[in-house]
Amino acid sequence: MIQEVKKHYGGLFEPALIEEINRVATFMEVPEGKDLMQPGQYIKAMPLLLSGSIKIMRPDTEGDELLLYHLEKGDTCAMSMTCCMGNTKSEIHAVTETPAKLLMIPIGKMEEWSSKYKSWRNFVFSSYHNRMMELLESVDNIAFNNMDERLEKWIEDKIQIINSKHIYTTHKEVAQDLHTSRVVVSRLLKKMENNKKIKLHRSFIEVL
């Protein structure tokens, strides 16, 4: 496992920290669509994402969910950190969007490493900052953009994450991410197809 840690974090963390991560972390390889965190759960470990993509969503009181941001290679979840440090229950839903490889760090190490390793402390602060910027972008997107623009932004983000112009998904799944109805998404996708921006297939959306 140490080769994976060095590959992704060798230029970021001190050698001594790399050794500690290798010693205490649990390696996980999970398929697409795997629930990693549910609302109401206590967090026992913090994830470091080696590969793949994770969706972070916020549920409402009716059980619907809004996509907040994505985690990609090299990222960690600031909300997981907050729950770990405060020993509080999760208020988010995390699910793998693609197959992913993770390192799970025991929560007991977080505070210890923050005082022991400057690189870890900087990593934590940087993660908080990046996730906050992504949350603000999500809020701006919801507050200031109409659903047409939000859908186009969702498609742009998706093709960047999966590195493909073929998005295998359903209209219902898109609607869930955007917190709207399937009917609205179907209508807007058809409009985009008429404008030659995409082509709709039976099981995927092709971006032109």
Side-chain angles (χ1 to χ4, degrees):
M1 185 174 69
I2 193 169
Q3 294 305 320
E4 285 281 352
V5 180
K6 287 181 176 179
K7 176 182 176 182
H8 295 285
Y9 298 101
L12 182 63
F13 297 148
E14 297 99 325
L17 177 54
I18 295 289
E19 292 289 343
E20 284 210 51
I21 292 173
N22 182 64
R23 188 170 67 252
V24 305
T26 300
F27 176 77
M28 291 178 60
E29 194 165 0
V30 294
E32 177 183 346
K34 173 74 172 178
D35 286 330
L36 298 175
M37 189 185 307
Q38 291 278 12
Q41 284 183 332
Y42 282 102
I43 310 303
K44 302 301 182 184
M46 189 197 76
L48 295 180
L49 188 55
L50 298 177
S51 67
S53 174
I54 297 172
K55 290 197 299 186
I56 305 298
M57 296 172 289
R58 168 73 170 170
D60 63 17
T61 55
E62 298 179 356
D64 295 324
E65 294 182 317
L66 175 66
L67 176 64
L68 297 180
Y69 53 80
H70 293 89
L71 299 179
E72 298 181 77
K73 182 175 67 176
D75 288 341
T76 190
C77 181
M79 292 187 178
S80 298
M81 292 181 179
T82 302
C83 293
C84 288
M85 298 295 283
N87 194 31
T88 57
K89 293 180 180 179
S90 169
E91 296 185 3
I92 60 170
H93 179 203
V95 60
T96 51
E97 189 165 23
T98 67
K101 294 179 180 179
L102 306 166
L103 292 177
M104 303 303 292
I105 308 296
I107 60 173
K109 291 294 180 180
M110 292 186 57
E111 188 170 353
E112 175 188 333
W113 289 352
S114 291
S115 60
K116 190 175 180 181
Y117 297 110
K118 181 180 179 181
S119 64
W120 179 260
R121 188 163 60 249
N122 291 341
F123 175 70
V124 170
F125 287 143
S126 176
S127 296
Y128 274 122
H129 174 76
N130 292 339
R131 299 296 85 75
M132 180 59 70
M133 292 300 100
E134 288 171 337
L135 279 174
L136 290 176
E137 183 180 354
S138 294
V139 170
D140 287 346
N141 192 31
I142 294 168
F144 304 121
N145 294 341
N146 59 36
M147 191 55 70
D148 299 63
E149 294 168 320
R150 289 179 60 196
L151 178 58
E152 290 192 19
K153 178 66 166 55
W154 182 93
I155 290 175
E156 289 172 4
D157 290 345
K158 191 76 170 180
I159 61 176
Q160 182 176 357
I161 289 167
I162 64 176
N163 194 30
S164 172
K165 291 191 175 183
H166 289 185
I167 303 173
Y168 288 87
T169 188
T170 66
H171 294 191
K172 180 180 179 181
E173 289 170 342
V174 179
Q176 288 172 338
D177 280 356
L178 296 177
H179 206 265
T180 187
S181 71
R182 183 189 59 77
V183 173
V184 169
V185 167
S186 296
R187 175 175 57 81
L188 293 178
L189 286 173
K190 190 63 180 177
K191 178 181 176 182
M192 291 181 69
E193 184 176 46
N194 291 337
N195 290 334
K196 309 299 183 184
K197 293 182 177 180
I198 62 171
K199 183 173 178 59
L200 298 175
H201 298 270
R202 184 175 181 85
S203 59
F204 68 94
I205 300 167
E206 180 183 0
V207 182
L208 301 178

